[in-house]
Amino acid sequence: KDWISFSHMSVDRSLFPFDSWFSCEHRALKLSRLELNDDSSRFPQGIYSVRKTIARFLSVARGVQCFPEQIVLGGGTQFLFYLLRHLFHENSLYAMENPGYRRMYESLKMERLRLKTIPLDNKGISIDLLKQMNPNVVYVTPSHQFPSGVVMPISRRIQLLNWAAEKDNRYIIEDDYDSEFKYESDTIPSLQGLDSYERVIYLGTFSKSLLPGLRISYMILPQKLLKKYRERCSFIMSTSNALGQLTLQQFIDSGEYRKHIRHMRQVYIERQKKLIEKLKKRFGSTITMHGANAGLHFTAEFDTTRSVEEIANRARAAKLELYNLKPYCLEDHYLYSKPAFILGFANLSVEKIDEGVERLYHAIFE
Ligand SMILES: Cc1ncc(COP(=O)(O)O)c(/C=N/[C@@H](CCC(=O)O)COc2ccccc2)c1O
């Protein structure tokens, strides 16, 4: 039997419009020979016309207010964070959500930065604990907290912005990952769009909405930090390749991007609805789901005495690709009381949902 995947780390490539991507790449090659064969030192922040397209798209899609000059394109969120940390004073205290994005946690530790992790409550990062820890820089994923799935409500966003505005040298890094897909309420504006004190650095990526291999991520710097970036980092060449940038620009400007997102949203809404129905039917009151009103995954706690490890082994034996929360629970802080798993549906076709849930039930209860 074939593998079935609940992975949150892959997209369904069969649904990616490769044909329109290729024609956009062909147009980019034809129209943009100058940008392509020019030495890229002129574009440390990425190609200007591409940044203009992204600024326009972000203002419509996420209520982000920025000029193209404020955007820095990079080959991945981690690289952009590496640049960013050189703009803060060196003994800054960093904080991030727990559970949280392990790769960011490891990046911060590797840079030997002072780091605290802050637990979540049902509205996202705990504002009381944040005030107690009093960091200079806090990294949050408000659109669909990674990995718990909590969507930070407006009230918590305002509290966070007010906290940052209270003192100098306080910044919020908003990683707007997984913001493309919302299912219940309409999209909540980004922290960046609500910020009137220049305290928010906005990070975004096309890894989820297009292809992870594209490696086109972007960072939006408030004016003060942009000045520091230009003083300290402008010798660092762009790490985001020009052809990818120019193809992306064609893909967005031609309306293909909006079309793709609209199509994927319908696909994912249908998959998620069917998956949740089947899980409720099969697991009844033994399952508790969290963070299902946005993104391409949610988490589920199971009322079982079986250990996470044993369930993971049984799932693998049944060819079910399943990830649990432990790698994202930093410093031994476990978010839920029962064994919890990440249920992604970006790579789970509707036809495989029944069989996938059966294998999951077998791994946990039979
Ligand atoms: C919070 C957060 N922010 C940014 C990113 C990605 O940034 P990038 O460098 O611009 O691609 C991820 C990737 N998260 C990773 C999953 C979590 C993990 O590492 O286990 C990878 O996620 C995907 C990769 C491909 C397709 C779909 C998802 C992030 O979880």
Side-chain angles (χ1 to χ4, degrees):
K1 60 186 178 183
D2 294 340
W3 276 85
I4 291 181
S5 170
F6 279 128
S7 168
H8 60 294
M9 280 188 267
S10 56
V11 289
D12 192 337
R13 278 160 195 64
S14 65
L15 296 172
F16 186 77
F18 282 103
D19 294 349
S20 43
W21 186 262
F22 289 143
S23 57
C24 288
E25 188 175 54
H26 185 71
R27 254 200 324 277
L29 279 164
K30 257 189 5 210
L31 299 176
S32 321
R33 292 180 198 283
L34 172 74
E35 285 88 346
L36 281 168
N37 64 20
D38 200 307
D39 71 302
S40 64
S41 60
R42 278 182 43 208
F43 313 121
Q45 296 184 226
I47 297 169
Y48 187 77
S49 62
V50 179
R51 287 187 272 142
K52 248 167 60 182
T53 293
I54 291 177
R56 213 174 22 247
F57 144 74
L58 284 175
S59 73
V60 172
R62 299 295 297 119
V64 165
Q65 314 298 329
C66 76
F67 295 103
E69 287 74 8
Q70 293 173 258
I71 297 180
V72 180
L73 298 182
T77 300
Q78 286 166 303
F79 171 72
L80 292 171
F81 187 84
Y82 169 73
L83 284 183
L84 181 58
R85 59 160 294 258
H86 292 283
L87 308 184
F88 302 125
H89 61 74
E90 60 211 285
N91 60 352
S92 295
L93 176 61
Y94 291 77
M96 69 175 283
E97 302 157 326
N98 190 359
Y101 181 36
R102 160 99 30 204
R103 292 177 207 270
M104 195 53 84
Y105 176 76
E106 298 301 345
S107 303
L108 286 158
K109 300 294 274 185
M110 190 173 78
E111 302 282 319
R112 300 198 201 305
L113 297 172
R114 294 168 62 212
L115 170 63
K116 298 235 183 222
T117 62
I118 299 184
L120 307 172
D121 59 27
N122 63 350
K123 292 183 178 151
I125 194 164
S126 159
I127 195 79
D128 298 335
L129 290 174
L130 176 71
K131 288 177 176 173
Q132 271 174 37
M133 297 216 188
N134 188 28
N136 299 103
V137 183
V138 61
Y139 168 79
V140 290
T141 52
S143 286
H144 186 238
Q145 200 276 333
F146 187 83
S148 69
V150 171
V151 174
M152 188 183 285
I154 283 277
S155 55
R156 182 58 53 88
R157 290 173 194 235
I158 303 294
Q159 283 180 307
L160 209 47
L161 289 164
N162 290 339
W163 169 82
E166 267 162 22
K167 266 175 71 180
D168 280 347
N169 280 323
R170 273 186 182 170
Y171 289 98
I172 300 167
I173 300 176
E174 172 180 26
D175 182 350
D176 206 22
Y177 182 69
D178 228 0
S179 60
E180 298 84 1
F181 305 103
K182 287 228 14 95
Y183 305 120
E184 266 141 41
S185 61
D186 49 15
T187 308
I188 301 181
S190 60
L191 281 166
Q192 197 275 356
L194 297 168
D195 173 29
S196 39
Y197 301 99
E198 291 210 11
R199 296 314 174 88
V200 177
I201 297 97
Y202 182 89
L203 290 182
T205 181
F206 289 95
S207 293
K208 290 289 269 207
S209 55
L210 291 177
L211 289 170
L214 196 59
R215 307 317 293 138
I216 298 185
S217 314
Y218 47 91
M219 165 165 81
I220 299 176
L221 297 173
Q223 300 290 356
K224 221 166 35 179
L225 287 181
L226 176 62
K227 196 164 160 296
K228 278 208 184 129
Y229 166 81
R230 289 190 166 160
E231 285 157 11
R232 300 184 185 178
C233 304
S234 56
F235 66 95
I236 297 176
M237 302 250 230
S238 172
T239 56
S240 179
N241 83 61
L243 179 54
Q245 288 178 48
L246 293 161
T247 306
L248 174 69
Q249 179 185 3
Q250 294 293 331
F251 196 73
I252 294 175
D253 288 347
S254 62
E256 285 294 330
Y257 182 82
R258 202 155 33 91
K259 213 167 82 181
H260 176 61
I261 292 291
R262 262 212 303 268
H263 172 227
M264 294 316 292
R265 184 173 285 122
Q266 293 317 319
V267 166
Y268 291 142
I269 284 176
E270 191 204 1
R271 286 185 185 178
Q272 199 211 48
K273 218 160 69 62
K274 188 147 181 342
L275 175 58
I276 289 176
E277 266 162 30
K278 177 69 187 168
L279 286 165
K280 281 181 178 163
K281 215 158 64 196
R282 196 71 179 87
F283 287 88
S285 60
T286 66
I287 185 172
T288 312
M289 292 177 255
H290 305 276
N293 49 5
L296 305 186
H297 79 271
F298 51 88
T299 55
E301 270 183 285
F302 294 92
D303 197 355
T304 169
T305 53
R306 198 167 274 173
S307 73
V308 167
E309 289 69 27
E310 193 185 342
I311 294 169
N313 292 338
R314 291 169 67 93
R316 200 173 308 109
K319 289 192 167 185
L320 181 68
E321 189 182 6
L322 177 70
Y323 296 96
N324 68 72
L325 274 182
K326 280 203 168 157
Y328 307 105
C329 295
L330 315 167
E331 299 168 353
D332 292 337
H333 162 80
Y334 198 64
L335 180 65
Y336 300 124
S337 52
K338 301 169 195 138
F341 293 86
I342 299 175
L343 298 182
F345 45 87
N347 211 355
L348 177 68
S349 61
V350 173
E351 304 71 43
K352 291 190 177 159
I353 288 175
D354 287 356
E355 173 60 18
V357 171
E358 280 312 313
R359 291 189 197 177
L360 183 63
Y361 190 83
H362 171 78
I364 298 178
F365 287 114
E366 272 158 3

